[in-house]
Amino acid sequence: MAKELWEGNAAIAEAAIRAGLEAFFGYPITPQTEILEHLSHRLPELGRVFLQAESEIASINMVYGAACAGARVMTSSSSPGISLMQEGFSYIACSEVPAVIINVMRGGPGLGNVAPSQGDYFQAVKMAGHGDFHPIVLAPGNIQEAIDLTVLAFDLADKYRTLAMIAADGSLGQMMEPAEMPPLRPVRPPEERAAWALTGAKGRKPNIITSLYLVEEELEKVNLRLQAKLREIAANEVRWKEYSTEDADLLMVAFGTVGRVCQTVVREARAKGLKAGLLRPITLWPFPSARIAELAGRVRGILVVEMNAGQMLEDVRLAVEGRRPVHFYGRMGGIIPLPDEILPQLEELDAATRS
Amino acid sequence: MEEIIISGFGGQGTLFAGQVLAYAAMDADFHVTWIPSYGPEMRGGKARCTVIISDQEIGSPLVRRPSAAIVMNIPSFETFEPMVKPGGVLVVNQSLVPHRSQREDIRALYVPATELATDMGNMRVANMVCLGALVQALGILPLEALEQALDRHLAERHRKWLSLNKEALRKGAEFA
Amino acid sequence: MAVEMIADMELVFKYPESLTPRVTHYCPGCTHGVIHRLIAEVIDELGVRERTIGVAPVGCAVLAYDYFNMDFCEAAHGRAPAMATGIKRVSPDKVVFTYQGDGDLAAIGTSEIIHTANRGELITTIFVNNAIYGMTGGQMAPTTLPGQVTTSSPRGRDVETAGWPMKMAELIGMLSGAAYVTRQAVLDVPGIRRTKKAIKLAFQVQLAGLGFSMVEILSTCSTNWGVSPLEALDWAKQNMLPYYPLGDTKVVDEVRALMAKP
Amino acid sequence: MAAKGMVIIDENRCKGCGLCVSVCPVHILKLADGRFNIRGYRPVEVIDPEACTGCAMCATICPDVVFTVYRRKMRREPSTAEPVNAKSHTIRW
């Protein structure tokens, strides 16, 4: 299929359709509303389910219900809406049903603004919902990745019966780039829904989907199973990209939009004679800790750059375990740090680690 | 690599002009990014976009100092005239911006775009007039590439304006 | 084993297939058990057990899925109608119902029930109103009566500060998407029989694709009201019935036609 | 004369709430005296099986599906068959 100029939000929505999305439940919130709008005309014309819910709380619980019924389902929102959905995430995680969440992050806290941000790193990766769980979190840095990772999110959600979240930001949602769509996959017919799904107890014992386990040992057993699954995901699904790390002695770690901004910083730093490299995590959970630890052994220092006050920074520091200096540069309020303000930070790290 | 900012009021078609440029660059097999920046209002606010055209993978989709800019109103002139990189191009919509650049290290083109567009029958093609001037001055793409981009990508409901848009591009190119 | 002994007797009341054999955790005399049984009997009679999906609430009926012999899931507090919407939209051939108490439906889940009803979702809601929070130990519910003493309204519900009891059947009945909404009570045998008819009609409304249906059922909570199970029936009759009048609050013409059928 | 009706009580489902006792029109139900079921409740008992009419009011109000109810078949002509002397009874586990 030929490349087309895709806007990020529309690209994510269309990619979900190509991946076999059967039902979408969502609520408008800037800067992701184009996802909902795209699906509002595309899904009905394909005979699939589109429903604008009364709130993000209703959206996520509709997603929960449709997922329990065995359908391929997703919702999309932006930071304040994602906050509202956290309760649902927790239920979905414990019930082990697959669901895809698109989070096009905006400035916070509170109502914040509609400008791009990465302030949801913690609430995505650590999950603000109650109990012990993580979703798979995928952070695209460009439109092609947004498409490919959306498709991957559905496949991973299905494979592990888990939540998979796309953590994009407002700029990725609004920007346009040439990208290629995958072919349209057929929708899974209802009679092929999973054996665990609620499809009516015809000729079998009833299926019960619950997150309630009143006996402590039973709940612990569920938790142990969840943790084993998370370890399996961590072992199999960690993804990242590296730029000029082969000979780097200064490593930058940045994801999403600011990750690609740092690609420019690497080029500019190299032009000035600094041996800079970049690791851009694609999965924020599971986090590429092992690779960062490995690279930390080969560089003088690390610079983490984020559109927040330093959230992924904590995971980088945990990976590095204090063996190298880890500096941080972040902008908040919906501001994207530009190469000309990041480069001096890298030069400072260079100077500080030379002595 | 060209890093272009197109800025003006909402409703002046700055975002669309950037998209036409992005389509043309894509069709010519360049790497390209287009990223908007909206004001809080849908209309009447400031509307600008950044288009980056490159022959290698694009990192940052945003720049502080563009290599070229189209400024379609006074606030845009005040913001971006000082920011254009030395050797860069600045296209000024003279109809709405009475200022002159004092810089000698950039090439400034003064185009009475809104007047020309009005004379052509629709003031809304002022954006194409400016874009024609810019592309002609940069030389990164032939004017025909933009016309083809309009042919291929102009939304169905705007088809009736196709030839007017093309005419506006050519009219602007005369100023470069 | 008893069947052989009773050759010339006919079975007039048997254990429904749509219930599991489990004994419920409900307190002695709690009418949740009656309502469970009525739903199960209706599902048996309609022959839809193998295509029914239930959604349990948070509240005393949180474990309802242990007692119904059919596919079931457990919703977050108040969200059962949203969950049921999700299920029904991707499984339109299934029979979907929610079972909710007054905290779940009339407090935390007010938004979900109103919008689900207003969209005319083809689901059935069984709303059990006993004017108190049972599971958490007898706190004030949105349906607690004026002056009613609970553990969180120790001097009786003061409408000046706590507002008035929510009349959900009236509220939901006003919505255009609702096809059939009624209030019934399981406080005596004739009332139980009428309630069963209403539940059956509500499911038939769903099966006929006529719109959202809800049966509000006045129920008892002898434990938290602090009376015996028998006294609870009387307490409800004396105190709840005047405030929550029984009867239909919404019957669209198509439902009326359904009612007229034998 | 055989009873018109018969109830079978699944004693261990009974929670001794007494709702059935209150609605039985022929007053043949009572809660057991000094005897408890497996759950520690005084279960309902039938004190006069012969009087049971099989009206099923007990079963209708019972929250715990304790009762199974049979009723003698209604016939226009007298049956030639010997009436079976079925009586209400309790299942004890």
Side-chain angles (χ1 to χ4, degrees), chain C residues 93-132:
Chain C
D93 58 326
K94 301 293 183 277
V95 177
V96 180
F97 77 97
T98 70
Y99 187 104
Q100 301 177 261
D102 40 40
D104 198 81
L105 181 137
I108 193 168
T110 325
S111 170
E112 281 77 11
I113 191 64
I114 286 177
H115 287 276
T116 299
N118 196 51
R119 285 190 303 267
E121 295 292 341
L122 296 176
I123 68 164
T124 298
T125 289
I126 307 300
F127 167 41
V128 180
N129 176 2
N130 62 7
I132 205 158

Side-chain angles (χ1 to χ4, degrees), chain A residues 212-262:
Chain A
L212 176 69
Y213 298 90
L214 289 172
V215 178
E216 293 87 337
E217 286 77 8
E218 276 182 32
L219 182 55
E220 188 181 47
K221 210 183 283 178
V222 170
N223 268 284
L224 290 171
R225 192 179 67 228
L226 283 175
Q227 292 302 314
K229 179 165 80 178
L230 293 175
R231 279 195 299 277
E232 190 192 341
I233 294 170
N236 297 337
E237 305 300 345
V238 63
R239 288 167 166 82
W240 71 91
K241 278 197 174 156
E242 291 181 26
Y243 305 86
S244 308
T245 49
E246 310 78 27
D247 63 340
D249 56 12
L250 296 172
L251 178 69
M252 282 189 286
V253 183
F255 71 94
T257 294
V258 76
R260 69 183 291 166
V261 171
C262 287

Side-chain angles (χ1 to χ4, degrees), chain A residues 197-207, chain C residues 48-53 69-72 94:
Chain A
L198 304 183
T199 53
K202 190 172 186 179
R204 60 160 169 78
K205 280 188 176 164
N207 286 336
Chain C
V48 295
R49 186 188 72 84
E50 291 181 332
R51 61 184 180 107
T52 297
I53 299 169
N69 179 25
M70 60 196 65
D71 278 11
F72 234 91
K94 301 293 183 277

Side-chain angles (χ1 to χ4, degrees), chain C residues 10 60 79 135 168 171 182 184 196 215 228 232 240 253 257:
Chain C
E10 60 183 333
C60 281
R79 319 295 172 223
M135 191 208 216
M168 291 310 291
L171 195 63
T182 186
Q184 301 293 333
K196 181 176 169 183
V215 184
S228 76
M240 290 181 78
D253 290 345

Side-chain angles (χ1 to χ4, degrees), chain A residues 98-177:
Chain A
V100 171
I101 317 297
I102 312 292
N103 181 3
V104 183
M105 295 181 273
R106 58 185 254 182
L111 197 50
N113 62 23
V114 299
S117 161
Q118 297 180 332
D120 291 7
Y121 180 90
F122 281 153
Q123 83 153 336
V125 166
K126 314 292 180 186
M127 278 276 116
H130 52 288
D132 289 290
F133 69 102
H134 297 277
I136 296 170
V137 183
L138 303 162
N142 56 56
I143 307 293
Q144 188 64 57
E145 266 181 19
I147 292 167
D148 298 343
L149 294 180
T150 299
V151 175
L152 179 67
F154 281 102
D155 292 341
L156 293 179
D158 259 9
K159 180 176 176 187
Y160 296 103
R161 288 174 61 181
T162 191
L163 281 165
M165 179 186 282
I166 299 289
D169 65 67
S171 64
L172 194 72
Q174 304 289 331
M175 72 180 284
M176 295 178 94
E177 267 184 310

Side-chain angles (χ1 to χ4, degrees), chain C residues 10-29:
Chain C
E10 60 183 333
L11 186 60
V12 293
F13 195 99
K14 65 168 198 265
Y15 199 94
E17 194 192 355
S18 290
L19 286 183
T20 67
R22 284 181 83 142
V23 175
T24 68
H25 69 284
Y26 301 117
C27 303

